[in-house]
Structures are given as structure tokens and as C-alpha cells.
């Protein structure tokens, strides 16, 4: 089978970094057309820096990396240094990047790629706020029916929110953009907190990364060492949830995940529940399904895949 052509849209972020590394380690399944950066966990100048650091860590300096939107569509930017540290990629001591960003805007790159390749062949993989994707859809509506699939990390339903009681960070930061994407008609697969909070980096799983003994394995272990302190304190869990790699793992082995094709709508009005993903899990609304909302993960299979792949870099 041909590898899937994908664009990773991201705000790295330690877990974004692991998602990117998993994609780079899997060329038989994934053809990474480029990485588009957005403001989210940290401001845009840092997410573009971090994306380049991650590619250089993997020795993949030919990856095309673009800067995108530096703020949400209609709100002030909310960032998450309290989780990811001042740089967004705190933990390992990695060199400043030397590879350059591509000229041009991330949004234009997304539009160009979707127009260049045959309809139904390019998958979008958003790992941060949906600002770049929504802006591309608004600017060039002709690309929407050309999207093969959008596989995104965002939202939560049974698990509630992580930035407010009702909302998950990526959707909360730009609910207007999320609303545009969820109403777009493009096929969507969602990795919500309901799934990612089951993908916990326990001590033995992190030791397995470290024991790879490679620069990538050691850096990944140091990244999760850093951001697990936050989730352990907050949830009393065994380790940090590895949210974003669920997206790239799904592209490699969708059977690791189970979910339901249901209607998902985004709250954009109420300050109390702003950014909530109202997921009709029990199919009580009568509204048309617009997304496959995942609910469960084979966590051991997921971590086996990660360690098996990361050692290749
Ligand atoms: C999401 O928010 C970010 O902090 C993570 O990188 C992930 O994409 C989890 O809510
Ligand atoms: Ca992210």
C-alpha cells in the first residue's frame, strides 16, 4: 500500500514532538508533505522553533516547515506554558535549530497541497488549535471536498475538559476555528481526552523509551519526564497522557482505537462552556453524524508501536 500523504498542523509541545517523531519513523505508512505550525501551547515563534528542533533531532532536515496563524480567529491567544514549560519543549537539552522555515504561509501551503494532489489523497493531522485549517477552508472552500480525512487531537466528552471544566485546550483556544472545521463536511476522526487520558506514560513505558539508548529515545523520555509532573499532580495519574501521538498512531494502525461515528458540535457562545465538544455519544439529538469520536485505545499496543518505531530514528 502507498504511504498516506499527510500534513501535520501543530504547536509543539512535547506530545506534538512525539507525534511528529512517530510519523518520521514510519515512512512505509506515512508520507509527510510538510509541517504547518500554529500558535497554541506557546506563541508561534516558539512552535516554529520547536518543530525544527524535533526534525533535526530525527536527522530529517529536509522536512518542509511553515509558519501559520499567530492567533486564534476571534479571541486572544491562550497558551499552556504551565504544562509544557517556557519554551514549550522543556525537558531535554536540545540545540537551537539551524534549518530554515519555508517561505510562504502555512495556510497557503495547505491549500496548494490539497489542490496539487488528487482528491481524497491528503490527510490533515491537526495537533493544536484549528486556526490554520479553518483559515484554509475559509480562504479556499474548494479544498474541503478534496480532504481525504482530518485526524485530530482535541475535545473530550466523558472526561470533561483540561483547560476549563468543559473544554479541552486545542478546541478552547480557537472554538470558532473548531466550529468551522466540524461543520465543514470533511471526514473527521477525533482523538479526545477520553482516549488520550488512557495513553499514560507510566514509569516502565518511559524507561522503555530511555532504554532505546538513542538520542531520540532519551530525548522523548526527558520530554515526558518534564510534562508528567503537571498531570501527575493534577490527576494523580501514573504518568503523563501522550495526547498527540494518538493521531499519528491511528494512521499507522487504526485498529488500536475504537469509537463511534456521531454528531459533534462546538460551543462558541457560552463563556462557561466555551470550546466544549458536545458529542452525541448516545445518539439522542437526531443531528447528522460528522465525526468518528474515539472512546478507547489499546494502550499497550500503542506504546509497543511507539518504542518499536522510535528506535528506527
Ligand atoms: C492538547 O493540548 C496541548 O497541550 C497538547 O499538545 C495537546 O495537543 C491536549 O489537550
Ligand atoms: Ca498539541
Amino acid at each position: 500500500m502507498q504511504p498516506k500523504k499527510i500534513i501535520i498542523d501543530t504547536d509543539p509541545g512535547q506530545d506534538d514532538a512525539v507525534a511528529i517523531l512517530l510519523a518520521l519513523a514510519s515512512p512505509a505508512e506515512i508520507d509527510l508533505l510538510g509541517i504547518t505550525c500554529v500558535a497554541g501551547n506557546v506563541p508561534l515563534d516558539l512552535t516554529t522553533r520547536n518543530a525544527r528542533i524535533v526534525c533535526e533531532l530525527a536527522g530529517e532536515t529536509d522536512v518542509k516547515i511553515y509558519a501559520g496563524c499567530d492567533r486564534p480567529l476571534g479571541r486572544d491567544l491562550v497558551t499552556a506554558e504551565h504544562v509544557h514549560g517556557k519554551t514549550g519543549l522543556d525537558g531535554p537539552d536540545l540545540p537551537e535549530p539551524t534549518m530554515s522555515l519555508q517561505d510562504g504561509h502555512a495556510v497557503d501551503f495547505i491549500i496548494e497541497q490539497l489542490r496539487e494532489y488528487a482528491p481524497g489523497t491528503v490527510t490533515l493531522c491537526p495537533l493544536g488549535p484549528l486556526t490554520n485549517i479553518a483559515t484554509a477552508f475559509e480562504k479556499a472552500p474548494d479544498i474541503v471536498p478534496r480532504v481525504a480525512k482530518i485526524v485530530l487531537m482535541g475535545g473530550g466528552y466523558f472526561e470533561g475538559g483540561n483547560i476549563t471544566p468543559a473544554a479541552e485546550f486545542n478546541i478552547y483556544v480557537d472554538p470558532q476555528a473548531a466550529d468551522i472545521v466540524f461543520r465543514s463536511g470533511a471526514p473527521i476522526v477525533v482523538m479526545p481526552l477520553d482516549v488520550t487520558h488512557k495513553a499514560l506514560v507510566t514509569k516502565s513505558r518511559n524507561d522503555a523509551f530511555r532504554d532505546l539508548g538513542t538520542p531520540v529515545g532519551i530525548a522523548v523520555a526527558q520530554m515526558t519526564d518534564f510534562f508528567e509532573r503537571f498531570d501527575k499532580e493534577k490527576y494523580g495519574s501514573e504518568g503523563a497522557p501522550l495526547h498527540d501521538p494518538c493521531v499519528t498512531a491511528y494512521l499507522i494502525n487504526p485498529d488500536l482505537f475504537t469509537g463511534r461515528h456521531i454528531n459533534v458540535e462546538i460551543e462558541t457562545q457560552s463563556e462557561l462552556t466555551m470550546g466544549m465538544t458536545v458529542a452525541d455519544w448516545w445518539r439522542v439529538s437526531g443531528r447528522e453524524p460528522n465525526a468518528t469520536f474515539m472512546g478507547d485505545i489499546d494502550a499497550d499496543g500503542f506504546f509497543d508501536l511507539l518504542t518499536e518505531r522510535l528506535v528506527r530514528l
Side-chain angles (χ1 to χ4, degrees):
M1 222 177 60
Q2 290 276 59
K4 291 187 185 73
K5 291 185 180 11
I6 74 164
I7 297 173
I8 294 184
D9 187 72
T10 178
D11 62 339
Q14 293 90 348
D15 61 321
D16 304 68
V18 181
I20 294 167
L21 291 168
L22 178 60
L24 292 173
S26 307
E29 294 90 356
I30 294 176
D31 174 7
L32 181 59
L33 300 176
I35 295 178
T36 52
C37 298
V38 67
N41 284 325
V42 283
L44 186 68
D45 58 330
L46 285 171
T47 61
T48 52
R49 165 191 179 267
N50 295 346
R52 287 178 290 156
I53 289 179
V54 172
C55 290
E56 289 188 18
L57 169 67
E60 299 272 357
T61 50
D62 290 340
V63 178
K64 292 180 179 160
I65 304 179
Y66 291 83
C69 299
D70 65 358
R71 73 195 65 178
L73 296 185
R75 286 157 62 83
D76 291 338
L77 178 65
V78 175
T79 52
E81 286 87 354
H82 59 294
V83 183
H84 299 275
K86 207 154 61 71
T87 67
L89 205 58
D90 282 16
D93 189 14
L94 296 169
E96 286 301 312
T98 57
M99 65 189 277
S100 335
L101 288 174
Q102 299 292 309
D103 293 335
H105 196 282
V107 165
D108 295 321
F109 174 71
I110 293 169
I111 294 170
E112 281 157 23
Q113 295 291 290
L114 281 161
R115 284 180 178 160
E116 178 174 337
Y117 292 104
T121 57
V122 176
T123 298
L124 302 177
C125 300
L127 310 177
L130 289 157
T131 322
N132 285 342
I133 308 296
T135 306
F137 284 5
E138 294 275 273
K139 191 170 173 187
D142 60 290
I143 64 172
V144 177
R146 302 179 72 89
V147 173
K149 209 178 262 183
I150 300 172
V151 186
L152 67 89
M153 190 282 137
Y157 188 65
F158 294 102
E159 194 66 6
N162 61 357
I163 186 80
T164 74
E168 179 279 331
F169 179 79
N170 289 342
I171 306 295
Y172 178 77
V173 172
D174 200 342
Q176 204 179 324
D179 186 46
I180 291 168
V181 171
F182 276 80
R183 286 179 190 282
S184 69
I188 302 176
V189 175
V190 185
M191 295 294 167
L193 296 176
D194 308 85
V195 164
T196 66
H197 278 178
K198 293 174 187 155
L200 295 178
V201 192
T202 58
K203 182 170 180 321
S204 67
R205 287 169 176 164
N206 212 29
D207 286 346
F209 292 145
R210 191 175 286 104
D211 291 348
L212 295 176
T214 59
V216 167
I218 292 165
V220 165
Q222 290 169 338
M223 286 181 206
T224 48
D225 273 344
F226 178 85
F227 80 91
E228 78 167 11
R229 87 216 177 287
F230 174 78
D231 289 278
K232 272 184 158 170
E233 276 166 30
K234 185 169 165 193
Y235 298 108
S237 56
E238 270 189 283
L242 221 37
H243 306 281
D244 294 339
C246 291
V247 167
T248 39
Y250 175 83
L251 301 175
I252 300 165
N253 184 3
D255 294 341
L256 292 171
F257 302 90
T258 51
R260 291 187 181 189
H261 191 55
I262 56 170
N263 178 270
V264 180
E265 307 237 338
I266 310 296
E267 176 58 59
T268 59
Q269 301 299 319
S270 151
E271 266 312 317
L272 184 64
T273 54
M274 182 67 76
M276 182 176 180
T277 43
V278 180
D280 187 8
W281 186 261
W282 303 112
R283 299 189 176 109
V284 291
S285 70
R287 293 190 286 262
E288 273 298 299
N290 59 345
T292 301
F293 198 82
M294 294 302 180
D296 214 346
I297 178 175
D298 167 3
D300 286 334
F302 170 74
F303 281 96
D304 287 349
L305 176 72
L306 272 170
T307 35
E308 175 226 311
R309 294 301 165 108
L310 293 181
V311 75
R312 299 181 184 181
L313 291 173

